[in-house]
Amino acid sequence: MKIASADVIVCSPGRNFVTLKLTTDDGIVGYGDATVNGRELAVVGYLREHLCPLLVGRDATRINDTWQYLYRGAYWRRGPITMASISAVDQALWDVNGKALGVPVYRLLGGQARDYLLTYPHCVGQTVEATVEAAAAKLDEGYQAIRVQAAVPGLATTYGVHVSKHGEDAAYEPAAGSLPEEEEWDTGRYLDFVPKLIKAVRDELGYGFALLHDSHHRLTPIEAGGLGKALEPYRMFWLEDTTPAEDQTAFRTIRAHTTTPLAVGEVFNTVWDFQTLITERLIDYVRMPVTHGGGISHLMRVLALADVYGVRSGAHGPSDISPVGMAANAHVGWVIPNFGIQEFMGYPELTGEVFKPSYELTNGLLRVSDAPGLGVEVDEEAAARYPYVARYLPVNRRQDGSMHDW
Ligand code: CS2
Ligand code: MG
């Protein structure tokens, strides 16, 4: 079974997605997600100009060799663009091989290890009361885990809190065709506010569910340690991305000051980003998803290392990871011993016109289907109706005008 063609589909049904399509000489089609939010066309260029020509004619059954060829064979290794591109090839090859054998990908990965995947949605509000209300509504729907973010009093904008004209959480759907929105940040106000928000959620709704919060890389190590400590009474499931993610050693300081569980890695792309964090037991959850982490093959290796050190999975699952990437996350979660949780932010309605996943989300529990491969169909005619739209993520400035991490 040889790869006969490699094509890149770029579409924007509600938001931008980059999808690699591999077709074999016997007509089997496999898909892989390569979406890098706000830098989509860089991945398109990497795939179209540099990887697709290498793929045509290759043996589609040699997933491992192709991975090594693309990773070791490139002098310039790692980085989000390279690894999302390699990931898309890897996902598409697993999809092709599942379809060729008539089995879901999870069967090729060793088979089912659990009956469902616990997921968490986003609960946001402009006030503490509105956030508690949003959280209560999700718990009423049956969710057993929730992430809460609320507007910080005194700041014009807050990460993760954006109520669109439709009233939904559209925090990560940047305005089309414009320059990045500028958000405002003040660490002191944030640190004063978050323990109050989390306390209100526990006081009002109790402890019978997993509670998560995301700091989006905005704190120093000692500020993060202090926040983790302040949140200890509220038994968080995790505190996410406290410090800028480049610095693995920052977690030594954070860990020394708090027992609040820590999650990091949604912007990581290889096992090397986790080497210190995992082997020194500095984190509890790996946020790296299949799409940005070199594919199913590479994420499985990272999670095998994590398992040795008692670290579990918690894959990134925002709406900028396509349903193909979400399905790939789900197949990995289905088979590994150390599954923790899966983020499932949900998708704009239009996305469903292009991507038809067969996984099912019921009462916050995600189940993969027995459809061959990854189990996601892509309607290319529908994709053609929604061309790419230039969109940036926001940037962040402190009140004195200087840049801060977003
Ligand atoms: C966020 C992301 O889901 C999360 O935890 O941190 O939504 C992130 O901001 C976006 O995916 C960026 O593309
Ligand atoms: Mg995050």
Side-chain angles (χ1 to χ4, degrees):
M1 184 170 62
K2 286 198 167 17
I3 301 172
S5 63
D7 304 287
V8 183
I9 303 164
V10 188
C11 61
S12 193
R15 59 177 317 138
N16 290 322
F17 295 109
V18 178
T19 311
L20 177 71
K21 175 189 178 189
L22 296 182
T23 309
T24 65
D25 50 6
D26 39 12
I28 297 172
V29 170
Y31 296 105
D33 175 33
T35 310
V36 175
N37 198 5
R39 293 292 184 272
E40 296 86 355
L41 299 187
V43 195
V44 173
Y46 194 102
L47 280 167
R48 277 196 185 138
E49 305 300 328
H50 301 292
L51 296 200
C52 291
L54 300 177
L55 296 173
V56 176
R58 288 186 72 82
D59 182 343
T61 67
R62 298 196 181 189
I63 305 175
N64 286 330
D65 181 64
T66 298
W67 198 95
Q68 297 293 332
Y69 181 69
L70 299 179
Y71 181 81
R72 288 179 199 270
Y75 188 59
W76 313 104
R77 293 183 189 175
R78 308 190 294 153
I81 307 303
T82 299
M83 298 309 289
S85 303
I86 294 178
S87 172
V89 176
D90 185 79
Q91 291 167 61
L93 287 177
W94 282 104
D95 196 22
V96 158
N97 279 276
K99 286 170 179 165
L101 297 167
V103 294
V105 165
Y106 76 80
R107 290 273 303 278
L108 302 179
L109 298 174
Q112 187 171 353
R114 55 186 45 76
D115 296 330
Y116 57 80
L117 304 175
L118 179 69
T119 73
Y120 72 89
H122 295 188
C123 305
V124 300
Q126 294 299 324
T127 60
V128 170
E129 294 69 35
T131 310
V132 170
E133 230 173 82
K138 286 294 176 194
L139 295 175
D140 282 348
E141 281 178 42
Y143 281 89
Q144 297 169 30
I146 51 172
R147 183 187 96 160
V148 296
Q149 310 287 135
V152 176
L155 292 184
T157 48
T158 303
Y159 161 77
V161 184
H162 176 107
V163 180
S164 79
K165 53 184 182 303
H166 309 295
E168 315 143 12
D169 169 17
Y172 318 110
E173 288 175 45
S178 55
L179 296 177
E181 272 174 41
E182 304 239 336
E183 297 189 342
E184 188 189 17
W185 182 251
D186 181 71
T187 300
R189 286 178 198 269
Y190 171 79
L191 289 176
D192 283 346
F193 175 67
V194 173
K196 292 178 193 148
L197 168 69
I198 299 298
K199 180 177 187 313
V201 172
R202 284 306 196 197
D203 285 351
E204 297 296 322
L205 305 174
Y207 283 76
F209 56 92
L211 183 55
L212 299 81
H213 178 74
D214 187 349
S215 300
H216 225 245
H217 311 118
R218 288 170 186 204
L219 305 176
T220 65
I222 201 67
E223 288 164 354
L227 177 60
K229 196 181 205 169
L231 297 182
E232 280 168 19
Y234 312 116
R235 202 168 49 70
M236 301 297 289
F237 184 88
W238 81 33
L239 179 59
E240 173 183 341
D241 285 350
T242 48
T243 50
E246 298 91 324
D247 184 1
Q248 294 189 49
T249 62
F251 282 77
R252 291 188 187 133
T253 305
I254 306 169
R255 204 56 150 181
H257 288 89
T258 182
T259 57
T260 291
L262 302 170
V264 75
E266 67 179 47
V267 298
F268 289 177
N269 44 73
T270 71
V271 68
W272 306 105
D273 297 322
F274 286 102
Q275 188 176 22
T276 304
L277 293 173
I278 290 175
T279 59
E280 292 189 20
R281 302 180 194 275
L282 300 178
I283 59 166
D284 301 280
Y285 295 94
V286 164
R287 290 282 286 146
M288 195 167 79
V290 166
T291 299
H292 302 130
I296 291 170
S297 303
H298 193 63
L299 184 61
M300 292 285 289
R301 287 177 62 203
V302 175
L303 293 172
L305 174 69
D307 189 38
V308 174
Y309 293 90
V311 176
R312 294 189 286 160
S313 73
H316 195 203
S319 49
D320 48 273
I321 282 178
S322 88
V324 174
M326 179 60 76
N329 283 340
H331 280 269
V332 170
W334 212 235
V335 303
I336 54 172
N338 53 335
F339 173 79
I341 201 165
Q342 172 64 54
E343 179 179 26
F344 197 106
M345 183 179 164
Y347 294 97
E349 228 175 86
L350 287 182
T351 303
E353 288 188 24
V354 176
F355 297 96
K356 321 267 181 199
S358 61
Y359 55 67
E360 275 178 26
L361 183 71
T362 320
N363 302 328
L365 305 179
L366 183 64
R367 292 177 175 87
V368 304
S369 80
D370 277 338
L374 290 172
V376 184
E377 289 312 317
V378 179
D379 182 335
E380 290 184 49
E381 277 174 27
R385 290 200 298 271
Y386 301 105
Y388 167 78
V389 182
R391 282 190 171 99
Y392 287 98
L393 283 164
V395 298
N396 206 18
R397 285 189 195 277
R398 300 178 199 111
Q399 288 176 312
D400 69 359
S402 56
M403 291 296 297
H404 197 74
D405 302 276
W406 190 78

